[in-house]
Structures are given as structure tokens and as C-alpha cells.
Amino acid sequence: MKKELLELAAWSIKTATSAGADACRVSLDGNRSVEISYRERKPENIKEASTKGLGIEIFANGRYASHSTSDLRKEPLKDFITKAVAMTKLLAEDKFRSLPDPKYYEGRSKIDLKTVDPAYEKLTPEGRHDIVKAVEAASLSKGGKKVISVTAQEQDGHSESVLVTSNGFEGYSESTYYVAGASVTLQDEGDRRPNGFYFAVSTHKKGMPKPEEVGAQAAQRTIDLLGGKKIETATLPIIVENQNVSRLSGGFLAGLYGRNIQQKASFLADKKGQKIASEHFTLIDEPLLVGGLGSRLFDGDGFAAKKRVMIEKGVLKEFYVDWYYSRKLGWEPTTGGPSNLIVPPGKRSVKQIMKDLGKGILVTGFIGGNSNSTTGDFSVGINGTLFENGELVQAVAEMNIAGNHLEFWNKLAEVANDPWMYSAQQMPSLVFTDVVVSGV
């Protein structure tokens, strides 16, 4: 479909410029997805969808607008684009809106990112159902008599997209993905019904864990919540489990975006080159990771993707600044957002680390919470397990941690050796010391 998408994008650009656009950028996407879920050993949800869509950004007389449609027939599309150009000319002028300088398109890597699984077309309806059945069966078996409900899921998809501009950029990307997971609810003491889940994601089927492992993990993570209760407020070390680090880091990363910086809503705006976290914290944005869920050769502006060290040993090195906000800020652009985020792993396992920490909490989930990108203040509920001398001793629930990101990330004391591989954010478990954990 690559040729078809590129030809339609080129035609759309010609149509827009003929209608009076000074410049334009066109994106075209084609997606196929399948989703199956089981509950009580029978299908609960089966969905299959194939979609195509066009997005066009129009620059005309110093004005800008973005429009989209799913009707790709040329006659209706020509009418749509012509009207879109006319409507754009009625908007307020924005002198900062333009296509990027073409020099930022240069230097694109020719590496094969291997984001497409050649075996994807061999996945059959029967094979998909077998995956979900195996996930559910393992969850039910592991959960035993305490199981109230299990919802097992399988998703997969294939997508293609092109990005073409009127000033010379042309790019194509293609990817596949697989998802398997389960949500489990168990009967606890009284009317408590803890719910746990486990999901794995990969671009390739061979990169996925076995369905039986997924189901057993979902059940075990729920079993670990049984008997959860508040403990007294204390200042303790905490270990944030690898697959939950992204929930905590999201509020911190919000300070890196050009949009927030320009709108005076970033607590990191004036911190470039300064120490903002512990020396144990290095954050790498790696778009050229082979097989990565966030891998790409170019970004939404068409900028050639390249590896960036965002934070190095606690020192802020880079921001996410797209072309538009670079012009508003008067800064050099970088890229508009993250690709694959990597925290280099440490040398020790979580179990080894726990032995040296004495008493602390292994955080295995976050509940609600909020983070203020302007001040860096945050508050979030947690659940997990209390440990002492390396042994897990008591499930904890309905606890809370709060603080300021600049202070909190300076408490990072160690990075474990277990990067979470089923995500575009491949982060290991992180150890923070002297954290006030609020309870009863």
C-alpha cells in the first residue's frame, strides 16, 4: 500500500496548493486491528477493524489549520481540501506557523528498524482465540477459589503511514504490534475485592511471553494484593517496580515539553545544564532501537530521528521542542516528543537490593494522583508490599506519596538490573530513599 499512499499524498498536496495554500503537510494512515477478550471461558468481545485516514495541515496567508477525513475518494477529497484551504484563510494570523527548514529533514538513518513482524500474516483467528483461552485458563488456575472474575485479552495490529510535505519531505513507516493480558479480581477479607492485571506488548510475536505466563502473572499480582491495608505514616525507602516507573516519570517528563515551557507551565524551563535529579538518573531517547515500540526514522515534523541523552547523571541536557514551539521560543528545535525512553540498568536485582534496605515498600501499582507541570508538585496513591530484610511481609494499600519532582528524583539511590521490555519506556525498577509514605 506504500505506493498508493504516497501517490495520494502527493495528489493531495497538489490539490491544496492549486486551491491557494502556500504550503501543506499530508499524513495518510492505514490500520488493521483485531481485539478479542474472554470472560467465563467464552468470548466477551471480538472486534476487527480496517481504517484509512488523511490529515492535512494547511499554511495559507500566514494562517494555519489542521483537517482530517476518512473519505479518500478523490472527488469528495478534492472538495474537502478546497474547502479546508478556504476556511484556513479565514482564521487569525499566526506568524510562527510554517513548515520546517528542509535542512532538518537531512541525515535520516537508513537502518531497518524491524518494526514489522514478517509472521504477522500467519496469525489466524483460531490462533488468536487460543492465546486468549490460555491466558484466561492460567489466571483461573493460579487464582483458585478466590477468583471472582477474569477478563483475558489479545490484541494485534498492522499499520502503515506516510508523511509528505510541499517543501520536499517524504517518509514512510510500517509496524505491527501484539498485546496479551488479563485483569483479575479476587475475593479478600470482608467486602474487599482487589483487582490486579498484567499486560505485555511487543512488535513481534516471538518477543511476547507465553500466554500461560501472562495469565499466571496477572493472577499472582492480584494475589499479592490480598490482605492489603494501610500502615502508619513513615519515612521509608521505596522500590518502584519496573513496569510502573512510567506512571511516576510522566509528571516529571511533562516539564521537558516545549509547549509547556513556552506557556510558562514547566518547572524545568530554566534548568538546562543544571542538576535536577540524582547522579543515578540517566534518561536516553533512542528512536533507532531495532524492534522498539517507539522506534522511528523521523518525527511528526519530518525531522531525522537521532539518539538524544535527555538527562545525564542527573543533569538536564535536552528538551522536546518541535518546530512550531522552537520558533515561538527562539530556540533550536530538537524533536516534538519521546520515542523509546531508556534508563540504563544497574547491576543488582530487586531482591538483592531489598536485603540491604532493611524495611521499605515495593510499589507495584499507582492509584489516581496528579502532577503539576508548572510547579513540579505531585501526589499519588500507591499499593504494593512491605518488605523487611529482603522478605516480603505485608501487602499495603491506600497509601500515598507526595512531594516535588525536583526533590523526589534527587532521592534516587539505585537503579536495578531489570528493564521493562514490553513498553516504549524500557525502565528498570528504581530505588528511592527517605520517602514519606502516608497512611493511618
Side-chain angles (χ1 to χ4, degrees), residues 186-194 225-229 397-398:
L186 300 181
Q187 181 64 58
D188 202 355
E189 300 169 1
D191 59 357
R192 291 190 74 251
R193 296 184 175 188
L225 299 176
L226 293 173
K229 61 184 179 181
E398 301 177 20

Side-chain angles (χ1 to χ4, degrees), residues 62-74:
R63 279 85 176 162
Y64 166 85
S66 176
H67 308 265
S68 61
T69 180
S70 58
D71 190 344
L72 304 187
R73 296 172 299 162
K74 282 193 173 180

Side-chain angles (χ1 to χ4, degrees), residues 41-272:
R41 298 188 184 275
K42 58 186 178 182
E44 182 182 52
N45 186 39
I46 301 176
K47 293 181 181 179
E48 181 172 354
S50 294
T51 61
K52 289 184 181 179
L54 175 144
I56 184 166
E57 297 172 79
I58 295 169
F59 306 84
N61 298 346
R63 279 85 176 162
Y64 166 85
S66 176
H67 308 265
S68 61
T69 180
S70 58
D71 190 344
L72 304 187
R73 296 172 299 162
K74 282 193 173 180
E75 280 301 316
L77 189 54
K78 181 179 181 180
D79 182 60
F80 169 81
I81 293 173
T82 301
K83 289 179 179 178
V85 172
M87 286 189 290
T88 301
K89 292 180 177 181
L90 300 176
L91 300 175
E93 186 176 359
D94 186 344
K95 64 180 181 180
F96 299 106
R97 287 289 187 182
S98 72
L99 288 176
D101 185 325
K103 71 179 183 180
Y104 293 105
Y105 302 153
E106 299 173 1
R108 196 190 321 173
S109 173
K110 300 186 184 302
I111 186 175
D112 180 1
L113 294 174
K114 298 188 184 301
T115 54
V116 178
D117 186 355
Y120 180 74
E121 295 300 325
K122 298 178 182 178
L123 185 59
T124 65
E126 294 79 12
R128 292 181 172 96
H129 282 269
D130 288 343
I131 290 171
V132 188
K133 288 176 183 178
V135 170
E136 183 188 31
S139 291
L140 290 168
S141 176
K142 186 73 173 181
K145 295 181 179 180
K146 289 185 177 292
V147 171
I148 295 174
S149 68
V150 171
T151 299
Q153 298 179 16
E154 183 278 344
Q155 298 177 38
D156 60 80
H158 172 267
S159 64
E160 291 181 87
S161 65
V162 298
L163 184 70
V164 181
T165 70
S166 58
N167 70 340
F169 179 84
E170 182 179 293
Y172 170 80
S173 61
E174 183 181 11
S175 63
T176 54
Y177 70 88
Y178 299 83
V179 182
S183 175
V184 180
T185 301
L186 300 181
Q187 181 64 58
D188 202 355
E189 300 169 1
D191 59 357
R192 291 190 74 251
R193 296 184 175 188
N195 175 261
F197 59 88
Y198 183 85
F199 283 85
V201 190
S202 178
T203 56
H204 289 64
K205 192 172 186 296
K206 66 181 181 181
M208 293 289 287
K210 293 181 179 180
E212 293 81 4
E213 179 184 339
V214 172
Q217 283 280 359
Q220 184 60 57
R221 292 178 67 82
T222 314
I223 291 169
D224 291 342
L225 299 176
L226 293 173
K229 61 184 179 181
K230 292 183 181 180
I231 60 174
E232 292 185 359
T233 297
T235 300
L236 297 167
I238 67 170
I239 303 175
V240 180
E241 184 188 37
N242 54 8
Q243 59 189 289
N244 285 289
V245 170
S246 61
R247 284 284 308 277
L248 183 64
S249 64
F252 184 69
L253 297 178
L256 298 180
Y257 288 92
R259 180 179 186 275
N260 287 339
I261 295 168
Q262 190 273 327
Q263 295 185 1
K264 312 296 183 184
S266 167
F267 67 97
L268 296 175
D270 60 349
K271 299 292 191 296
K272 188 173 182 179

Side-chain angles (χ1 to χ4, degrees), residues 14 143 254 334 423:
K14 183 177 181 181
T334 55
S423 170

